[in-house]
Amino acid sequence: MDASAKNPAVVLVSGGMDSAVVLAIARERGFAAHALSVRYGQRHTSELEAADRVARALGAVEHKTVDVDLRSIGGSALTDDIAVPEDSDGHVIGEGIPVTYVPARNTIMLSLALGWAEVIGSSDLFCGVNAVDYSGYPDCRPEFIEAFERLAIVATRAGVEGAGFSVHAPLMRMSKADIVREGVRLGVDFELTVSCYQADAQGRACGHCDACRLRADGFAAAGVTDPTRYR
């Protein structure tokens, strides 16, 4: 049997540390991982280049990047001409929904993953959402994942014909430090990943946005050296 046809799963891979750990978890659980990334008009493509490195390093069966132009609707500091909040402006992580929230992004990404899952005959989707150390995004909560699973059943031919879908969010209740430790246990090379909201073309981080701060705090709490390169 073709390895790609045996126990397939679609894994959303952004290029950041969380999705790299999720991909490693999917592989450890015996899934043939089909990695999916989305070029949605984000500020830089360094994370997509990182996603390709991560997919290859962690043994994905294939890696597909889909284009969706969310910049055309804007509404986020990641897809519009809105400044990214930094530690220097008094922004407090977790207080309200920040301007880095991209409207409907996780809904769109999971929908794309769901479509691909139907095509390859998979009933398993993996994503790296987290409700502990996160920036206040509504689509990173357990309620969202549970609602999407119900949607998947009524919105697809496979669901109507009796197949169930599982959206695996293995990092949901982990702290950032726990995620770092899990990645170390699984042999994830975090040097391949890019987490910064405004990384440069070489993938070097700013060190001041929410993503950089959460990542740095997580590595420090785990007692692990963060290989992030800063500009």
Side-chain angles (χ1 to χ4, degrees):
M1 178 182 290
D2 184 346
S4 65
K6 185 177 180 181
N7 207 20
V10 177
V11 183
L12 287 171
V13 179
S14 68
M17 60 174 287
D18 291 356
S19 65
V21 174
V22 169
L23 177 55
I25 290 172
R27 295 282 292 119
E28 182 184 53
R29 292 181 183 178
F31 287 96
H34 297 252
L36 178 65
S37 302
V38 182
R39 183 182 290 105
Y40 60 86
Q42 56 265 65
R43 281 176 168 261
H44 61 81
T45 59
S46 297
E47 66 178 9
L48 292 173
E49 294 165 6
D52 188 59
R53 295 194 297 268
V54 166
R56 285 186 280 108
L58 293 177
V61 172
E62 60 179 319
H63 178 218
K64 189 184 297 290
T65 299
V66 175
D67 291 283
V68 178
D69 183 17
L70 296 185
R71 182 165 286 276
S72 64
I73 63 173
S76 168
L78 303 189
T79 58
D80 210 336
D81 296 326
I82 301 170
V84 172
E86 297 186 352
D87 50 8
S88 60
D89 60 20
H91 168 67
V92 179
I93 296 175
E95 285 192 359
I97 300 173
V99 294
T100 50
Y101 163 67
V102 180
R105 178 178 60 178
N106 284 351
T107 304
I108 291 167
M109 289 183 174
L110 276 174
S111 296
L112 293 169
L114 178 62
W116 196 16
E118 270 208 288
V119 170
I120 65 175
S122 170
S123 59
D124 294 279
L125 315 178
F126 281 80
C127 64
V129 298
N130 177 268
V132 180
D133 289 342
Y134 80 122
S135 295
Y137 299 158
D139 53 2
C140 287
R141 299 174 299 158
E143 298 93 324
F144 168 72
I145 296 299
E146 292 162 5
F148 194 90
E149 281 188 334
R150 294 194 298 271
L151 170 69
I153 293 171
V154 300
T156 59
R157 180 175 66 183
V160 170
E161 292 177 348
F165 286 93
S166 295
V167 180
H168 305 268
L171 311 185
M172 180 65 76
R173 292 177 173 84
M174 288 188 185
S175 69
K176 212 67 166 179
D178 290 335
I179 294 169
V180 171
R181 295 187 190 101
E182 181 72 349
V184 170
R185 183 187 71 80
L186 292 165
V188 173
D189 183 357
F190 286 114
E191 190 171 3
L192 300 176
T193 66
V194 173
S195 298
C196 180
Y197 288 146
Q198 44 193 0
D200 65 13
Q202 286 74 49
R204 295 176 299 184
C206 73
H208 301 286
C209 67
D210 286 2
C212 281
R213 295 162 65 190
L214 286 169
R215 175 174 174 139
D217 289 347
F219 273 92
V224 176
T225 300
D226 183 0
T228 292
R229 295 177 298 119
Y230 294 98
R231 57 175 185 264

